Structure formats: C-alpha cells, structure tokens
C-alpha cells in the first residue's frame, strides 16, 4: 500500500514538473548565445568571401577579354 502511494506521488510530481522543465529549456544560456554569434559571423564571412570571389572572377574575365583583344590585334598586324 505504501509503495503504491509513493508511486502515485512520484507520478504526480513528474507530471507537474514537466512544464517547468520545458520552460527552462526556452532560456538561452551563454553557450547558445555564443553559438548564435558564431553562426552570424560565419554567415557574414561566407558572404564576404562570395562577394570577393565574384569580383575576382569579373576581373579575370575582363583581363581575359583584354588579352584576347591584344592577341587578335597582334595577329592582324602580322598578316
């Protein structure tokens, strides 16, 4: 009989404590905030790298076109 009462009380406490435990999970700790800052910094870095890569590709394309023009001009003068 005593074990049954103890089991019932334990079950009631577990059920009552569940919402408290779940609300505690909503609070961000320092690790979560640091993780978010790292994520944002990584996203910004990725954006900057992508922009730099795009600019470098554009400059390389322009240089290629200029080189092709000079080669065409040089071959026209020889003929």
């Amino acid at each position: 009989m005593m074990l049954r009462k103890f089991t019932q009380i334990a079950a009631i406490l577990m059920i009552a404590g569940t919402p408290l435990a779940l609300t505690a999970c909503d609070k961000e700790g320092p690790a979560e905030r640091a993780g978010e800052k790292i994520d944002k910094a990584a996203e910004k870095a990725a954006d900057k790298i992508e922009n730099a890569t795009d600019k470098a590709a554009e400059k390389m394309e322009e240089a290629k076109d200029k080189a092709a023009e000079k080669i065409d001009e040089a071959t026209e003068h020889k003929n």
Side-chain angles (χ1 to χ4, degrees):
M1 183 74 164
M2 190 70 155
L3 183 61
R4 186 172 181 187
K5 272 280 196 209
F6 177 75
T7 307
Q8 288 176 343
I9 291 172
I12 290 170
L13 290 174
M14 286 173 49
I15 292 170
T18 300
L20 293 174
L22 292 176
T23 57
C25 293
D26 290 340
K27 295 179 183 176
E28 286 188 356
E32 286 82 7
R33 289 190 298 271
E36 288 175 5
K37 287 181 180 180
I38 290 169
D39 289 344
K40 286 179 184 177
E43 286 177 21
K44 286 181 181 180
D47 289 343
K48 288 183 179 185
I49 290 169
E50 185 177 356
N51 289 339
T53 304
D54 290 345
K55 286 180 183 179
E58 287 174 16
K59 290 191 181 234
M60 289 177 68
E61 187 70 27
E62 290 172 8
K64 179 191 70 118
D65 291 342
K66 285 181 182 179
E69 285 177 23
K70 292 199 182 245
I71 290 170
D72 287 343
E73 289 173 5
T75 56
E76 285 177 11
H77 291 298
K78 286 187 177 182
N79 291 329

